[in-house]
Structure formats: structure tokens, C-alpha cells
């Protein structure tokens, strides 16, 4: 006779079930320099398929920490396991009080003041938190120095503001269509103002991404920040401008690599665009003018003109609608205009 055996549960009364504590000390057998630890981390993230720009940011952010440690705690450079929470907090205070904005940054002028913006500091801390968690999980460090380190708090701040109507007019009126560079800038600005494309998405767009019959531009997944392709409608006027610019560029340089090229037949870059806007800002006496402002202006105007926030979220490629809400900054004039238009009191006052 074949008997069926059923496994019985062992009694748990009186037995201690051990689970590792959140930050339990673990023994490290090998000593890694910060550079070696960074290389292992980068290899793992590349294997996960992270974008090259994200990898570049990881390298850049850890270089800031290494620079600080080399000057203040050089022993930590040779042994990442000796990095402590106190070192991290000292580094935070250095970023808040002593670090100069854009120091050592390519294509950006160093600002003559000390202390970085809170948002910038928190971005660097998020990178360090990701790295330290990886190093701890891989048993490269005994304790995670980022445990207990909280983001830096700040007073309520506005996101990037868009452009006021009068400033949009100033910008476009200042451009001379007879000059190739200014005509190209004008088309780029209109494209971003019409579609809400990110600066990098707009600058690197290729003519094959446009459907001039159905009037939309395709942002493929390999370009999109959230790795999801999307089709964004464009107006016929802007579509015509894009096609005219491409045909003109083609006459000069043959088949161009992308729609927006510089005067030497090379791809027009975000850094070059930012510099040109900065010069225009000074010439027109504007407080701010940089690439992302056209995307933010699109977002604000889209809602003010009657668009809904859920469609806007899809167009802007935001994973979380909370990001879309933060993205839209209404001016006092916008709020006043909307109030005058929709206040329920006006309906009864007109009787």
C-alpha cells in the first residue's frame, strides 16, 4: 500500500525567528576605493539598461563628493567602507553653505555666490542614497551611511515658470528670419511652445518623426525620458515651419542628421541653445529665458485655453499627475483672468 505523507508544521512556540535588522552590521572582506565602488555600481546599472545620461549624472554627482572628501577626509577616498553618516551630513552643509553653483561644470559660468539650491542638493543626495544602498546590499560596506539622512527642507518654491505673453512677443519679434540661426531658433521655440516637448526631445528630433498628413510628431521610446513612446499633435502652421526649415537645411548640408543643425552642419545642442537664449535675455532685458521655459509655457497655456490636465499629463510624458500639477505655474494675472471668467458671483450680478 502506498501511503501519502503530509508534511507537518513544526511548532513555533518557544522558537526565536531571526530576521536581519534594517541596518545590521555585515562584515566586509575586501576594501574598495570610491572609484572602484563607483565602477562596480556603474557596471551593474549599465547591465540594467539605464540611459547613458543617467550614468553620466551618477559619475558627475560622485565626483562632487570625492572632491569634498579629498580635501577634508582623504582616507575615505581609499576605503568607501569608512564613509559615515557624519561625513554625509558634513558634505550636505558644505553644499548648502560653501559650494559655488556650476563650479567646474562644462558650458556653464560659475556663479559668484556660495551655496547650492535645495533641489540641487536633494538630487545629489538621492544619487548617493541609491549608491550606498547598492554598496550595502553587495556587502561592499558594513553599514549604510545614508540611513537616517533626510532630504534638505526648503521654503515653498515655485517650479520653473513659463513666459508671460508680452515676453513671448518680445522674443519672437527680436528674431530675424533672414538669418539662418535665428530662423532655426524661431522654429525650435514654436515647436516646443506647440507640443511641450522636452528640450532634448525637440533638439534631436528627426524629420522621420513627423507625420505631416496627420499632423503629429512621434517621440520614440528610446528617446522619451519614461521609455514610453508617444504621439503629440502639432498645428499645421508649426508643421509647415518645420518642413520649410528642413528643406532649407537640406540645401545647405545635404541630408541633415536631424531637423535642428548649427551653421556648420553639425547637430544643434542644448548647450548652444541655452547660450543663445542667455544672450537674448540680456539683449531684451528679461529676468529669465532658458529652454525649459517654453515647455512650461505650453503646459500653463494649455490649461488656461481649456485643455484638461489628464491629456496634458500624457502629452508631457509625466508618470505621476502630481508632477503635472507642480509643473503648471499660474501667474497672478492668470488667476485673476480665470477668476473673472468663471466666478459664480458674476452670473447673479448681471441679472
Amino acid at each position: 500500500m502506498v501511503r501519502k505523507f503530509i508534511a507537518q508544521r513544526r511548532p513555533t512556540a518557544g522558537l526565536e525567528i531571526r530576521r536581519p535588522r534594517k541596518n545590521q552590521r555585515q562584515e566586509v572582506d575586501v576594501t574598495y576605493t570610491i572609484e572602484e565602488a563607483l565602477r562596480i555600481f556603474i557596471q551593474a546599472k549599465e547591465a540594467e539598461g539605464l540611459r547613458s545620461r543617467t550614468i553620466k549624472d551618477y559619475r558627475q554627482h560622485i565626483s562632487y563628493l570625492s572632491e569634498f572628501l579629498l580635501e577634508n577626509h582623504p582616507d575615505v577616498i581609499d576605503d568607501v567602507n569608512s564613509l559615515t553618516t557624519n561625513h554625509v551630513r558634513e558634505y550636505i552643509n558644505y553644499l548648502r553653505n560653501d559650494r559655488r553653483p556650476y563650479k567646474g561644470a562644462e558650458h556653464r559660468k560659475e556663479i559668484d555666490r556660495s551655496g547650492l539650491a535645495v533641489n540641487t542638493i536633494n538630487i545629489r543626495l538621492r544619487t548617493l542614497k541609491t549608491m550606498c544602498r547598492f554598496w550595502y546590499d553587495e556587502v561592499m560596506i558594513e553599514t549604510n551611511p545614508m540611513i537616517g539622512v533626510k532630504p534638505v527642507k526648503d521654503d515653498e518654491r515655485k517650479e520653473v515658470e513659463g513666459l508671460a505673453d508680452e515676453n513671448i512677443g518680445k522674443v519672437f519679434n527680436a528674431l530675424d528670419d533672414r538669418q539662418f540661426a535665428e530662423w532655426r531658433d524661431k522654429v525650435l521655440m514654436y515647436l516646443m511652445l506647440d507640443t511641450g516637448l522636452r528640450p532634448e526631445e525637440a533638439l534631436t528630433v528627426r524629420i522621420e518623426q513627423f507625420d505631416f498628413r496627420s499632423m503629429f510628431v512621434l517621440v520614440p521610446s528610446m528617446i522619451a525620458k519614461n521609455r514610453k513612446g508617444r504621439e503629440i499633435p502639432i498645428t499645421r502652421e508649426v508643421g509647415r515651419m518645420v518642413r520649410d526649415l528642413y528643406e532649407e537645411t537640406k540645401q545647405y548640408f545635404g541630408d541633415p542628421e536631424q531637423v535642428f543643425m548649427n551653421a556648420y552642419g553639425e547637430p544643434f545642442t542644448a548647450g548652444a541653445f541655452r547660450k543663445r537664449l542667455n544672450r537674448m535675455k540680456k539683449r531684451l532685458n528679461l529676468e529669465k529665458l532658458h529652454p525649459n521655459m517654453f515647455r512650461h509655457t505650453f503646459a500653463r497655456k494649455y490649461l488656461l485655453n481649456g485643455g484638461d490636465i489628464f491629456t496634458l499629463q500624457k502629452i508631457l510624458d509625466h508618470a505621476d499627475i502630481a508632477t503635472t500639477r507642480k509643473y503648471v505655474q499660474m501667474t497672478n494675472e492668470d488667476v485673476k483672468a480665470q477668476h473673472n471668467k468663471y466666478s459664480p458671483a458674476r452670473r447673479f450680478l448681471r441679472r
Side-chain angles (χ1 to χ4, degrees):
M1 182 176 70
V2 179
R3 298 182 184 275
K4 184 177 181 180
F5 288 88
I6 300 177
Q8 300 294 312
R9 290 186 177 180
R10 295 179 61 185
T12 57
L15 293 178
E16 180 182 359
I17 300 175
R18 290 179 172 268
R19 293 185 177 89
R21 289 177 293 177
K22 188 175 182 180
N23 197 28
Q24 185 175 4
R25 179 172 292 276
Q26 47 188 353
E27 293 186 6
V28 174
D29 298 327
V30 181
T31 299
Y32 298 92
T33 66
I34 281 192
E35 186 61 34
E36 290 169 339
L38 173 64
R39 186 168 62 249
I40 294 170
F41 171 80
I42 294 296
Q43 286 176 345
K45 293 304 172 183
E46 286 176 336
E48 293 175 10
L50 261 66
R51 293 270 170 79
S52 57
R53 182 174 178 179
T54 304
I55 298 296
K56 181 181 178 181
D57 288 342
Y58 281 142
R59 294 185 186 277
Q60 190 69 59
H61 291 175
I62 203 67
S63 72
Y64 299 139
L65 174 64
S66 297
E67 177 186 303
F68 166 78
L69 293 173
L70 189 61
E71 185 173 339
N72 298 277
H73 304 282
D75 53 307
V76 181
I77 292 290
D78 296 323
D79 183 8
V80 69
N81 189 38
S82 62
L83 182 66
T84 68
T85 302
N86 285 337
H87 291 141
V88 173
R89 288 182 173 140
E90 188 178 335
Y91 174 58
I92 293 172
N93 287 328
Y94 160 74
L95 294 177
R96 293 186 64 187
N97 303 314
D98 301 317
R99 174 82 184 187
R100 286 184 179 276
Y102 305 128
K103 179 182 177 183
E106 293 183 20
H107 312 302
R108 302 299 293 268
K109 184 179 180 181
E110 183 177 332
I111 296 177
D112 188 22
R113 64 174 171 80
S114 297
L116 303 185
V118 168
N119 188 52
T120 302
I121 296 172
N122 286 334
I123 289 172
R124 296 185 184 180
L125 290 180
R126 285 199 297 270
T127 297
L128 185 57
K129 185 175 183 179
T130 301
M131 288 186 181
C132 287
R133 184 169 58 244
F134 172 86
W135 293 334
Y136 179 75
D137 291 342
E138 294 292 314
V139 198
M140 299 170 67
I141 56 177
E142 292 181 358
T143 56
N144 185 343
M146 289 300 292
I147 294 293
V149 175
K150 297 181 179 179
V152 179
K153 292 185 177 181
D154 191 15
D155 295 334
E156 183 181 357
R157 66 181 182 85
K158 287 187 175 182
E159 298 295 313
V160 177
E161 294 183 9
L163 290 159
D165 287 354
E166 61 270 22
N167 290 337
I168 296 175
K170 280 184 181 180
V171 169
F172 285 127
N173 290 334
L175 294 169
D176 184 356
D177 292 356
R178 295 170 298 178
Q179 298 184 36
F180 172 79
E182 295 199 13
W183 162 239
R184 175 209 57 214
D185 292 352
K186 184 176 184 177
V187 176
L188 177 58
M189 292 175 194
Y190 266 115
L191 178 63
M192 294 179 66
L193 201 58
D194 188 39
T195 61
L197 286 171
R198 294 182 177 92
E200 287 292 339
E201 293 172 342
L203 281 159
T204 59
V205 74
R206 305 169 71 92
I207 199 67
E208 309 90 67
Q209 292 173 234
F210 290 91
D211 185 328
F212 294 110
R213 182 182 296 274
S214 300
M215 298 312 299
F216 68 79
V217 57
L218 170 66
V219 181
S221 58
M222 68 279 297
I223 296 174
K225 185 176 181 180
N226 288 326
R227 295 178 179 266
K228 293 181 180 178
R230 68 194 194 279
E231 294 179 356
I232 304 175
I234 58 173
T235 61
R236 293 201 173 275
E237 295 82 357
V238 172
R240 191 178 303 116
M241 292 172 70
V242 169
R243 189 161 47 189
D244 289 347
L245 173 65
Y246 177 77
E247 292 300 327
E248 186 176 335
T249 307
K250 193 175 180 180
Q251 291 177 15
Y252 287 120
F253 307 114
D255 289 326
E257 182 178 337
Q258 57 193 42
V259 173
F260 299 103
M261 309 289 284
N262 66 19
Y264 302 99
E266 301 166 341
F268 190 42
T269 65
F273 186 38
R274 188 182 298 110
K275 283 184 178 180
R276 292 182 63 81
L277 291 179
N278 191 50
R279 288 197 292 268
M280 180 177 284
K281 177 191 73 174
K282 294 175 181 177
R283 190 168 78 246
L284 299 178
N285 197 28
L286 300 177
E287 183 180 351
K288 292 180 181 179
L289 185 62
H290 52 80
N292 222 29
M293 293 183 76
F294 294 95
R295 175 170 160 88
H296 284 258
T297 302
F298 164 81
R300 189 185 82 241
K301 286 295 184 181
Y302 185 88
L303 291 184
L304 288 174
N305 291 337
D308 68 277
I309 195 168
F310 298 104
T311 304
L312 179 61
Q313 178 191 6
K314 184 175 177 61
I315 292 174
L316 294 178
D317 189 33
H318 287 158
D320 188 345
I321 200 167
T323 306
T324 311
R325 290 195 184 99
K326 289 172 61 180
Y327 220 76
V328 181
Q329 293 296 318
M330 300 293 181
T331 65
N332 290 335
E333 290 75 15
D334 293 330
V335 174
K336 183 178 179 180
Q338 292 296 94
H339 176 267
N340 287 339
K341 186 176 181 181
Y342 294 112
S343 172
R346 296 181 70 91
R347 174 186 171 190
F348 297 96
L349 289 169
R350 289 170 178 166
R351 287 183 174 184

